Amino acid sequence: MQDFNRRTALISAAVTLGGLALAGRAAIAGQAAKTSSLFDASKNPNPERIAPYKPRFGRSRPLVAIVGLNEGTIISDFCIPFGVMARSDVADVVSVSVTSGPVKMQPLTFQLQTTVDEFDKNHPEGADYIFVPAVENDSDAGLLRWIKAQAGKGCTVISICYGAMAVANTGLFDGHRATSHYSNEEMRVRRFPNVKWQKNIRYVADGKVVSSAGVSASMPTSIALVEAIAGPAKAAQVARDVGIDGWSSKHDSDAFQSDPGNADMPARDAKPDVKLGIPVKTGDDEIALALTAESYSRTGNTLAYAVAASRAPLRLAHGLVLLPDLVAGSPTKVDRTLAPLEAHEATRALDIALADITKTYGPKAARHVALFMEYPGPT
């Protein structure tokens, strides 16, 4: 998945977003009056920068926590920041659940390294940075309490996509600039009028609060943090490693507003009619797995399962532990099984998934997935 800023193709001629801007103009115009207080960040003269890291508490390098809500956390929003930060090796990275037990990241399930209570005991000074992904319940008391407590200890809070709603619920965004997924523009302005909401930007860095736009924005946002910690050369190296060559905050979220042609796509909570097996093994890449699983889930008619050689927990490439759903060859059958994941340039998994979705479900389904994930099309 090449540079998010100047992507030359989405996925062959079968999936084209070139006509998206024209197709969605009526819908966008209809929203304009409703979101008039939303600042268009494309007018900003300079790109955003996360403030350079300043060591605290005598630490040799920063402590980064990614928090997940057990009842439901969006898989890419969690796994991409974790994967980028862990592979960069510029910080100590910890996966944290709100309570003990598995964390459901639809459609897969993970066992995280620690809980918020255990984290607080082990790190009473708090983290230097925490990532807050989108969660099913953005008002969860335990999650909000921990975010506020960490902020009170001086950490920088970074929301990913709809994770901005949880952070906004804590009041930490009040009086600050922030952004989120294009689909909640009207809602966020209405729910949180004290936040200086922006659109048409990949991420916003306003002091100790940072926020990102839709799913694909989690990659450049995470690399921007690598740059803040270890400088541009290291950030460029990590970006190349995962398959992108830019992490600018520049972004046109208006281009991804859902167009009328997708109005009849299955609802997100529609009952899936395809059981899809994703083969997994120890050492698989977290980012590739997350992008694959989320892509198929976003088609609206597919339920993906992690299929492994046994039900034993699997340690992925950078430390996340996956709990397999099915054992290969077991009586429980899936309708089809994907090829093994490709770890090289992990973000290519989205290209691979979209190509297969185009072939299997049609270009409309692939376009639907690309729109929601704010995956850039032809320029």
Side-chain angles (χ1 to χ4, degrees):
M1 185 163 55
Q2 294 302 311
D3 184 9
F4 285 90
N5 299 306
R6 53 185 176 79
R7 180 75 177 165
T8 58
L10 173 59
I11 191 69
S12 75
V15 185
T16 59
L17 299 181
L20 174 61
L22 292 176
R25 286 307 172 197
I28 296 170
Q31 292 186 20
K34 299 178 182 179
T35 58
S36 58
S37 60
L38 196 69
F39 179 74
D40 187 343
S42 64
K43 300 174 183 177
N44 289 345
N46 300 311
E48 298 283 318
R49 292 283 188 274
I50 298 177
Y53 167 65
K54 294 182 179 180
R56 307 189 303 158
F57 313 120
R59 290 171 177 162
S60 59
R61 59 187 198 164
L63 177 62
V64 178
I66 297 91
V67 63
L69 184 64
N70 299 66
E71 294 78 7
T73 298
I74 301 304
I75 187 169
S76 293
D77 290 2
F78 188 100
C79 291
I80 289 177
F82 182 93
V84 170
M85 298 310 302
R87 77 169 60 215
S88 74
D89 196 29
V90 301
D92 294 323
V93 184
V94 183
S95 62
V96 185
S97 58
V98 175
T99 60
S100 60
V103 174
K104 188 64 179 178
M105 299 189 197
Q106 188 63 33
L108 307 182
T109 306
F110 294 83
Q111 183 68 54
L112 304 189
Q113 293 164 288
T114 189
T115 66
V116 295
D117 289 342
E118 292 167 348
F119 183 92
D120 290 344
K121 291 178 183 177
N122 294 329
H123 307 285
E125 308 93 344
D128 293 292
Y129 304 92
I130 64 170
F131 281 90
V132 182
V135 294
E136 293 296 333
N137 179 9
D138 61 31
S139 298
D140 181 82
L143 174 63
L144 301 190
R145 185 167 53 248
W146 191 73
I147 295 171
K148 289 185 71 173
Q150 289 296 311
K153 296 175 182 180
C155 87
T156 295
V157 177
I158 305 171
S159 69
I160 300 296
C161 194
Y162 265 75
M165 301 300 98
V167 177
N169 265 322
T170 69
L172 292 173
F173 279 158
D174 287 355
H176 291 278
R177 297 178 300 115
T179 194
S180 187
H181 193 273
Y182 68 78
S183 66
N184 66 24
E185 289 178 357
E186 180 184 352
M187 177 267 284
R188 58 177 133 124
V189 170
R190 184 179 65 253
R191 281 184 67 187
F192 306 106
N194 295 325
V195 180
K196 299 176 181 177
W197 292 112
Q198 302 197 348
K199 69 171 185 174
N200 289 328
I201 192 165
R202 240 184 221 117
Y203 53 88
V204 172
D206 191 352
K208 291 285 189 175
V209 289
V210 179
S211 52
S212 83
V215 180
S216 68
S218 59
M219 183 67 66
T221 304
S222 302
I223 293 174
L225 180 57
V226 174
E227 180 182 34
I229 295 170
K234 180 63 176 181
Q237 179 257 307
V238 175
R240 289 192 298 270
D241 185 41
V242 297
I244 67 172
D245 56 14
W247 58 94
S248 169
S249 62
K250 296 293 184 181
H251 181 56
D252 180 11
S253 56
D254 281 348
F256 295 90
Q257 297 282 0
S258 295
D259 63 283
N262 267 331
D264 60 344
M265 286 300 297
R268 184 183 172 193
D269 58 355
K271 184 178 180 180
D273 55 17
V274 176
K275 294 180 179 179
L276 179 72
I278 302 178
V280 293
K281 63 184 183 303
T282 298
D284 278 343
D285 185 83
E286 289 90 346
I287 296 174
L289 177 59
L291 288 172
T292 300
E294 180 154 356
S295 296
Y296 286 94
S297 296
R298 292 291 175 188
T299 64
N301 65 353
T302 300
L303 182 60
Y305 296 88
V307 182
S310 75
R311 292 297 295 270
L314 292 178
R315 188 182 188 278
L316 301 178
H318 301 98
L320 278 188
V321 174
L322 175 71
L323 304 180
D325 299 301
L326 300 174
V327 175
S330 68
T332 302
K333 301 298 182 182
V334 295
D335 297 309
R336 58 190 295 257
T337 300
L338 299 179
L341 294 170
E342 292 186 13
H344 177 62
E345 288 191 355
T347 49
R348 284 194 63 247
L350 185 51
D351 287 319
I352 295 169
L354 286 170
D356 184 63
I357 291 170
T358 300
K359 180 180 178 180
T360 307
Y361 306 111
K364 184 175 181 179
R367 182 178 63 181
H368 174 76
V369 173
L371 291 176
F372 185 85
M373 299 180 82
E374 295 194 47
Y375 188 68
T379 57

